[in-house]
RNA sequence: GCCGCUGUGGCGGAAUUGGCAGACGCACUUGACUCAAAAUCAAGCGGGUAACACCGUGCCGGUUCGAGUCCGGCCAGCGGCACCA
């Protein structure tokens, strides 16, 4: 047979679609498998080869599972709210709804051309009102449970996008959308209390199968630290200044305190502060610094002493000065620290610059040169003197400060609450109403969805005001509680809202009574295997795990963790080894490859390129090698024979079944394909194979190259789909050859090989080795010291 | 600075977890077919040698009959976090 991909690929895609062979069946008695891939943002540019690689992994697993007799749910949808569409809408004066529909249409067609076995009856679109109704529903549930709050604080703000960003959306001080520098701005924003779930998100990691680096990155992001809160009296005010520290056992080494420039203590006692002018000047200066400047000036500490306010060390009653300095952040801990210059480098640098005392309380370093942060004997610390173990001294001091009522043990997280509103049009409207009488009132559940109104102009207002604020008919409403005139919240939800629960909607996409039917949720959840990119580990994955834990707590879902297993795909780089980008002109369009080489070649190649989790450059020649391989597979149909000699291939077949089966489970698609190539070479050398053997071969290949293998299956006389035929079984005893060639070493160096019966005994093996002429020559005139024989592996003869 | 990952031919990458390093694919060389080219088929392909020897998995040392794999110490690259108290 010839591999005529242009003919067969559309043919099978049509048949799969018409027969609904990939549609999942709820409550089927077969075991279930829920395979998930990160649904795409339908951009105007269409699909990227990265999408193909990302989807091909679960595609292969899903196809294998179906053949193994599982009831498989492998869905796809579109995460379609977001800025790129909105910006394109502004540029072209087209409604985002129209653009989104066009892009979804384009993406769907492209996905179908690659032959992915998605269940197209369950497609979701996060911008569909019947979908975002439930996004709003979950939001209101969170509101109801006190997880939504409003606060005025310093937030990440992107001046270019004119939008408030969450911590996750401004990693490294850059806007996630346009990559320009984020500034800190005081704003009143809506938060989701994700920090309330910090511990659950951390502990949940113990129960899931994620790659190590994924777990570690999430742990870092959550950033739990344990320590203590300590309250310092501010002399003459009755005020307690609360600090957080991980080393409360260094309390006797405190020689000053530092509070963040934004700390409320300053304004509260402004009239007692003698140098308010200097302090105000410093505060102004701080707000002008960009994130970049702050991180670049790490060594150069700045600050101002607050005249008129001094603190008292609660352990020894010593008076200590208070400074403001921007190396202390309002956003972490309490915005105030006790400074122990002898044992913290930042405090040390500050103390040196301002001429403050440095008191050693832990021995082991040289505090004349630098701060000592290691372990050692405690000194100058009264009741702590003599402790040498940090754990013990911390435990002791916590006990003591608790007794004295001056502090307590505590934990802190780096993770911050999720700034949840965006001053944008193309997002889910936030279903809250501001009533002058009742305060913030939720839109009643029965009024959901709160629909996005039509507007003329999608541009945000000058001071970062949402476009929705300009529509009086939307803004003005009646308070659901008291019935008086009220105003709607006009901001929308962030990009990540819709994707925080989408995997639940696939389970019951058309349900208008609930997120999804409870029984169906219990049947399908959790997601058995979720593949995606590293870039979502500290955004989408954290957010969606948070929402899911919440839904579990209120009894809406049956598992705390949404994803049982996670895998990560590595980037496909351009042929030049650089990241693909339009400006570099090194972008490979997957549809061009489908057109010129076929979908089966594309699919096989993206998985054959290398280690699935690692980045690898695209290589046209290497891709053609995969096409050549598929052509050789097509050619096997001409080798089918009932000649008894084909029985000699049996061992190779059993080995290959075993290898391909296990490699797919271990995300080693490259070696699974390599094994099939090796078997192809073996078959061609043999010159013939049986019909049954060819059937096994195409079954093993079908998850990778489903079109060609369906075609061969049909040509062999089958009228059913290969895609749902039974996955081949292997017989362990038949995976072993009768004879095996092993290496023979003299003194650890390979000097020859010998062919032995499998599992041959030691005497026989050594005799065979010594009979070898070359081996014998190496042993001549030497005495044998030791003989090592590992069956089926190696012979090593040590001589002197 | 802290944490994590990775270093193997000309290239992408294998190696049953301590047992013949370089599977499979690409590139390359030679041959067959062809007027010729492409495609295809056959053979070769880490360095080195006429052939052996010998040298080879980032570097230095160690354990072992035997190390890409284990241990100790470095070096380089990538990713994440970062004045986190």
């Amino acid at each position: 047979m010839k591999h005529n991909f242009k003919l067969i690929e559309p043919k099978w895609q049509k048949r799969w679609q018409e027969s609904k062979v990939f549609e999942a069946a709820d409550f089927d008695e077969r075991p279930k498998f829920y395979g998930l891939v990160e649904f795409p943002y339908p951009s105007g540019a269409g699909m990227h080869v990265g999408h193909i690689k990302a989807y091909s992994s679960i595609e292969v697993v899903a196809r294998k599972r179906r053949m193994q007799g599982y009831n498989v749910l492998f869905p796809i949808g579109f995460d379609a709210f977001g800025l790129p569409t909105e910006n394109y809408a502004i540029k072209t004066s087209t409604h985002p709804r129209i653009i989104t529909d066009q892009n979804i249409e384009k993406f769907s067609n492209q996905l179908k051309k690659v032959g992915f076995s998605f269940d197209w009856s369950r497609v979701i679109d996060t911008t569909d009102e019947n979908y975002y109704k439930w996004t709003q529903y979950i939001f209101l549930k969170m509101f109801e449970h006190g997880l939504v709050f409003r606060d005025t604080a310093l937030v990440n703000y992107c001046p270019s996008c004119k939008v408030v960003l969450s911590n996750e959306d401004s990693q490294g001080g850059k806007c996630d959308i346009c990559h320009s520098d984020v500034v800190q701005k005081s704003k009143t924003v809506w938060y989701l209390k994700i920090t309330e779930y910090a511990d659950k998100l951390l502990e949940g990691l113990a129960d899931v199968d994620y790659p190590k680096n994924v777990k570690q990155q999430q742990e870092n992001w959550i950033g739990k630290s344990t320590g203590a809160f300590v309250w310092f009296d501010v002399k003459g005010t009755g005020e307690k200044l609360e600090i957080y520290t991980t080393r409360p056992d260094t309390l006797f080494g405190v020689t000053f305190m530092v509070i963040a420039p934004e700390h409320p203590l300053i304004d509260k006692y402004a009239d007692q502060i003698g140098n308010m002018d200097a302090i105000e000047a410093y505060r102004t200066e701080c707000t002008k610094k960009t994130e970049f400047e702050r991180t670049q000036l790490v060594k150069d500490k700045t600050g101002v002493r607050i005249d008129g306010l001094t603190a008292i060390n609660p352990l020894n009653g010593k008076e200590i000065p208070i400074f403001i300095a921007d190396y202390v952040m309002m956003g972490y801990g309490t915005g105030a620290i006790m400074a122990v210059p002898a044992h913290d480098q930042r405090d040390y640098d500050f103390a040196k610059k301002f001429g403050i005392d440095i008191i050693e309380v832990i021995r082991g370093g040289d505090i004349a040169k630098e701060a000592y942060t290691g372990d050692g004997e405690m000194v100058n610390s009264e009741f702590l003197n003599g402790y040498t173990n940090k754990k013990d001294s911390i435990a002791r001091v916590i006990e003591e400060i608790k007794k004295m009522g001056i502090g307590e043990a505590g934990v802190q997280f780096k993770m911050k609450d999720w700034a949840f509103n965006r001053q944008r049009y193309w997002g889910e409207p936030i279903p809250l109403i501001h009533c002058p009488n009742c305060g913030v009132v939720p839109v009643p559940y029965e009024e959901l969805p709160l629909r996005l109104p039509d507007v003329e102009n999608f541009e945000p207002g000058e001071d970062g005001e949402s476009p929705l604020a300009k529509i009086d008919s939307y803004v003005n409403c009646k308070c659901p509680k008291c019935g008086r005139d009220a105003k709607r919240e006009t901001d929308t939800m962030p990009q990540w809202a819709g994707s925080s629960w989408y995997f639940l909607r696939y389970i019951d996409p058309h349900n208008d009574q609930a997120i999804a039917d409870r029984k169906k949720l219990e049947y399908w959840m959790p997601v058995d295997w979720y593949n995606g990119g590293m870039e979502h580990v500290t955004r989408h994955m954290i957010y969606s795990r948070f929402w899911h834990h919440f839904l579990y707590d209120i009894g809406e879902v049956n598992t705390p963790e949404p994803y049982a297993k996670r895998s990560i795909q590595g980037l496909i780089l351009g042929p030049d080894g650089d990241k693909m980008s339009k400006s570099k002109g090194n972008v490979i369009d997957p549809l061009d490859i489908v057109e010129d080489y076929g979908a089966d070649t594309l699919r096989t190649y993206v998985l054959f390129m290398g280690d699935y989790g690692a980045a690898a450059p695209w290589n046209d020649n290497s891709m053609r090698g995969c096409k050549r391989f598929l052509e050789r597979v097509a050619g096997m149909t001409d080798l089918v024979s009932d000649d008894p000699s084909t029985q000699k291939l049996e061992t190779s077949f059993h080995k290959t079944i075993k290898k391909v089966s296990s490699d797919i489970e271990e995300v080693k698609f490259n070696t699974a394909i390599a094994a099939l190539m090796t078997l192809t070479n073996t078959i061609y050398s043999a010159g013939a194979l049986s019909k049954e053997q060819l059937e096994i071969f195409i079954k093993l290949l079908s998850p990778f190259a489903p079109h060609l293998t369906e075609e061969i299956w049909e040509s062999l006389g089958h009228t059913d789909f290969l895609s749902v035929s039974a996955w081949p079984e292997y017989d362990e005893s038949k995976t072993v050859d009768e004879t095996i060639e092993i290496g023979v070493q003299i003194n650890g160096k390979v000097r020859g090989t010998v062919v032995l019966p499998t599992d041959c005994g030691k005497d026989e093996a050594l005799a065979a080795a010594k009979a070898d002429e070359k081996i014998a020559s190496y042993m001549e005139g030497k005495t044998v010291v030791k003989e090592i024989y590992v069956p089926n592996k190696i012979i090593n003869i040590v001589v002197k």
Side-chain angles (χ1 to χ4, degrees):
Chain A
M1 180 192 288
K2 290 212 80 176
H3 180 207
N4 191 343
F5 65 87
K6 289 212 167 171
L7 218 63
I8 64 173
E9 290 183 352
K11 166 182 161 183
W12 289 102
Q13 284 158 16
K14 193 163 167 250
R15 287 203 192 169
W16 292 328
Q17 175 99 24
E18 286 171 356
S19 65
K20 303 176 192 270
V21 64
F22 299 133
E23 291 186 10
D26 297 320
F27 309 124
D28 193 282
E29 42 190 56
R30 289 171 294 171
K32 69 97 181 178
F33 176 78
Y34 185 176
L36 184 68
V37 293
E38 286 170 353
F39 62 162
Y41 178 78
S43 72
M47 271 205 305
H48 186 271
V49 280
H51 289 113
I52 310 293
K53 186 172 175 186
Y55 304 159
S56 291
S57 53
I58 304 295
E59 158 78 353
V60 165
V61 175
R63 282 184 175 268
K64 181 183 172 224
R65 287 282 185 282
R66 279 188 205 101
M67 295 172 76
Q68 288 176 312
Y70 284 79
N71 180 27
V72 170
L73 173 57
F74 182 40
I76 191 72
F78 299 94
D79 187 16
F81 274 132
L83 266 186
T85 300
E86 181 164 329
N87 288 338
Y88 190 74
I90 292 167
K91 211 167 90 187
T92 60
S93 300
T94 316
H95 196 284
R97 173 79 267 153
I98 295 167
I99 297 163
T100 299
D101 287 343
Q102 284 170 352
N103 289 350
I104 287 180
E105 171 82 11
K106 181 172 180 177
F107 256 77
S108 300
N109 288 334
Q110 292 186 338
L111 286 165
K112 285 174 185 170
K113 279 188 179 168
V114 184
F116 289 122
S117 63
F118 294 126
D119 178 347
W120 287 99
S121 73
R122 294 174 185 252
V123 173
I124 56 171
D125 163 8
T126 55
T127 66
D128 182 336
E129 62 181 49
N130 295 318
Y131 181 90
Y132 71 67
K133 168 181 174 176
W134 298 104
T135 310
Q136 291 172 332
Y137 169 88
I138 297 169
F139 176 85
L140 286 184
K141 282 286 172 193
M142 288 187 161
F143 184 85
E144 198 180 306
H145 287 81
L147 289 174
V148 178
F149 70 100
R150 201 164 157 78
D151 191 26
T152 307
L154 280 184
V155 296
N156 304 297
Y157 181 80
C158 174
S160 163
C161 297
K162 292 180 186 157
V163 74
V164 171
L165 296 168
S166 70
N167 230 26
E168 286 78 9
D169 277 339
S170 51
Q171 299 188 20
K174 301 276 182 202
C175 169
D176 192 47
I177 299 149
C178 69
H179 306 289
S180 50
D181 281 336
V182 167
V183 298
Q184 303 293 306
K185 217 174 165 176
S186 181
K187 281 209 159 244
T188 304
V189 300
W190 289 104
Y191 287 97
L192 295 190
K193 240 184 238 177
I194 189 170
T195 52
E196 195 154 293
Y197 277 77
D199 261 322
K200 283 185 176 175
L201 291 173
L202 205 55
E203 282 158 18
L205 291 174
D207 306 323
V208 292
D209 177 14
Y210 295 176
K212 201 164 120 192
N213 56 336
V214 171
K215 282 194 186 185
Q216 188 233 336
Q217 237 183 73
Q218 294 201 354
E219 278 163 16
N220 279 353
W221 187 254
I222 295 165
K224 184 174 182 171
S225 90
T226 56
F229 293 100
V230 183
W231 308 304
F232 285 65
D233 279 324
V234 181
K235 197 183 164 193
T237 62
E239 186 80 24
K240 302 266 187 202
L241 180 55
E242 184 181 51
I243 62 95
Y244 174 75
T245 176
T246 53
R247 289 305 300 267
D249 55 337
T250 60
L251 255 165
F252 290 100
V254 174
T255 53
F256 61 102
M257 300 190 76
V258 184
I259 63 176
E262 307 86 11
H263 199 283
L265 189 77
I266 297 164
D267 290 323
K268 194 164 172 190
Y269 294 99
D271 51 352
Q272 289 188 35
I273 297 172
N275 58 341
M276 207 51 201
D277 289 355
I279 285 171
E280 283 299 353
Y282 183 71
R283 290 169 109 184
T284 314
E285 200 184 302
C286 290
T287 56
K288 277 194 216 141
K289 279 189 199 169
T290 65
E291 192 82 16
F292 179 77
E293 283 168 329
R294 282 181 83 146
T295 51
Q296 288 309 297
L297 298 170
V298 167
K299 278 277 161 196
D300 188 23
K301 296 281 179 292
T302 60
V304 179
R305 177 164 179 179
I306 305 174
D307 288 343
L309 291 181
T310 46
I312 296 177
N313 187 326
L315 273 188
N316 59 12
K318 264 196 197 165
E319 269 187 46
I320 45 181
I322 307 174
F323 289 78
I324 63 166
D326 66 354
Y327 83 91
V328 172
M329 313 287 149
M330 200 57 226
Y332 184 79
T334 61
I337 63 157
M338 60 177 219
V340 186
H343 306 292
D344 181 294
Q345 194 56 44
R346 294 155 300 173
D347 298 346
Y348 187 91
D349 295 340
F350 193 88
K352 280 281 176 197
K353 183 161 174 182
F354 287 85
I356 307 167
D357 287 350
I358 298 171
I359 302 174
E360 182 179 64
V361 292
I362 303 167
R363 263 200 200 129
D366 179 3
I367 61 157
K369 285 201 192 105
E370 60 183 3
Y372 175 66
T373 53
D375 250 334
E377 191 195 339
M378 305 278 323
V379 294
N380 301 324
S381 297
E382 301 182 10
F383 61 88
L384 291 172
N385 284 342
Y387 279 92
T388 52
N389 182 303
K390 164 164 113 175
K391 227 178 106 188
D392 297 338
S393 52
I394 291 174
R396 174 71 205 279
V397 77
I398 286 177
E399 189 193 316
E400 202 69 28
I401 59 175
K402 225 171 150 182
K403 219 187 288 167
M404 295 170 70
I406 56 165
E408 63 189 9
V411 297
Q412 279 295 305
F413 296 95
K414 284 189 202 173
M415 190 166 70
K416 297 191 178 136
D417 282 321
W418 180 2
F420 198 70
N421 50 324
R422 300 291 180 269
Q423 299 70 41
R424 285 287 164 170
Y425 175 73
W426 197 230
E428 299 88 347
I430 290 178
L432 293 176
I433 290 163
H434 300 272
C435 169
N437 192 37
C438 313
V440 175
V441 179
V443 170
Y445 287 108
E446 56 276 14
E447 284 177 26
L448 297 182
L450 172 60
R451 288 184 185 82
L452 201 52
D454 269 334
V455 297
E456 302 273 306
N457 180 2
F458 309 109
E459 296 222 41
E462 253 328 292
D463 194 30
E465 194 179 53
S466 166
L468 295 182
K470 284 175 276 187
I471 311 170
D472 291 342
S473 61
Y474 179 78
V475 175
N476 297 317
C477 63
K478 300 286 178 203
C479 170
K481 229 181 193 170
C482 68
R484 286 185 235 181
D485 285 347
K487 290 194 186 301
R488 282 188 198 284
E489 170 62 52
T490 56
D491 282 0
T492 54
M493 297 188 197
Q495 162 95 81
W496 307 103
S499 60
S500 290
W501 69 282
Y502 75 110
F503 45 90
L504 298 175
R505 193 61 178 170
Y506 284 136
I507 287 169
D508 200 4
H510 309 296
N511 193 323
D512 58 4
Q513 299 300 312
I515 290 172
D517 177 78
R518 177 72 197 209
K519 287 264 174 298
K520 291 182 186 174
L521 283 173
E522 282 170 13
Y523 177 80
W524 286 112
M525 284 301 285
V527 172
D528 294 288
W529 192 336
Y530 189 19
N531 183 72
M534 212 57 209
E535 70 276 16
H536 288 130
V537 166
T538 54
R539 295 177 179 85
H540 159 64
M541 281 194 80
I542 292 263
Y543 290 149
S544 57
R545 288 183 59 222
F546 160 46
W547 279 39
H548 202 262
H549 270 275
F550 165 71
L551 291 172
Y552 176 73
D553 285 350
I554 64 166
E556 295 257 358
V557 297
N558 56 306
T559 60
E561 284 293 335
Y563 318 123
K565 175 176 175 148
R566 169 78 174 187
S567 56
I568 299 282
Q569 82 274 354
L571 282 181
I572 299 182
L573 305 172
D576 52 4
D578 288 331
K579 202 172 162 179
M580 283 191 197
S581 77
K582 264 186 241 156
S583 58
K584 285 203 191 101
N586 59 352
V587 177
I588 303 290
D589 183 341
L591 272 298
D592 288 347
I593 307 297
V594 170
E595 191 64 30
D596 296 344
Y597 299 93
D600 284 340
T601 297
L602 173 65
R603 296 165 55 115
T604 306
Y605 176 59
V606 297
L607 294 180
F608 180 66
M609 299 180 78
D611 181 350
Y612 186 70
W618 181 271
N619 183 313
D620 269 332
N621 280 323
S622 203
M623 187 262 304
R624 284 187 203 106
C626 289
K627 176 149 173 36
R628 212 168 290 153
F629 162 60
L630 295 179
E631 281 161 358
R632 274 160 71 80
V633 172
M636 278 187 206
T637 53
D638 303 329
L639 302 181
V640 173
S641 148
D642 44 20
D643 192 296
S645 70
T646 58
Q647 282 313 301
K648 283 193 284 192
L649 293 170
E650 277 304 280
T651 307
S652 299
F653 267 90
H654 283 275
K655 276 185 186 169
T656 308
I657 296 168
K658 183 180 179 181
K659 175 114 182 103
V660 172
S661 302
S662 61
D663 278 357
I664 289 173
E665 299 307 318
E666 289 161 33
V667 204
K668 289 160 75 173
F669 306 111
N670 54 338
T671 51
I673 294 165
L676 289 166
M677 288 173 169
T678 306
L679 182 56
T680 303
N681 293 341
T682 309
I683 290 165
Y684 269 88
S685 309
L689 81 169
S690 69
K691 184 182 171 216
E692 291 69 31
Q693 288 170 338
L694 179 56
E695 288 179 352
I696 289 171
F697 189 96
I698 58 174
K699 283 180 177 185
L700 294 176
L701 179 62
S702 67
F704 303 96
H707 308 87
L708 170 63
T709 49
E710 284 281 11
E711 184 70 16
I712 297 174
W713 182 249
E714 188 187 47
S715 80
L716 292 174
H718 296 280
T719 52
D720 56 346
F721 285 114
L722 174 66
S723 298
V724 289
S725 68
W727 186 254
E729 302 279 343
Y730 65 92
D731 182 341
E732 184 69 46
S733 67
K734 290 184 183 162
T735 60
V736 190
D737 290 297
E738 278 176 27
T739 60
I740 192 160
E741 188 185 51
I742 68 170
V744 181
Q745 300 180 332
I746 301 291
N747 292 343
K749 291 199 179 214
V750 178
R751 298 300 185 184
T753 61
V754 61
V755 177
L756 296 172
T758 301
D759 297 326
C760 145
K762 184 172 181 178
D763 293 344
E764 192 188 340
L766 285 166
K770 287 170 188 167
D772 183 274
E773 215 175 277
K774 207 174 156 201
I775 297 301
S777 75
Y778 274 100
M779 293 175 66
E780 213 175 284
K782 308 269 175 68
T783 44
V784 174
V785 179
K786 200 170 179 182
E787 291 171 330
I788 290 125
Y789 170 59
V790 182
N792 309 326
K793 298 238 157 100
I794 200 88
I795 292 169
N796 188 10
I797 301 169
V798 185
V799 297
K800 210 159 59 178

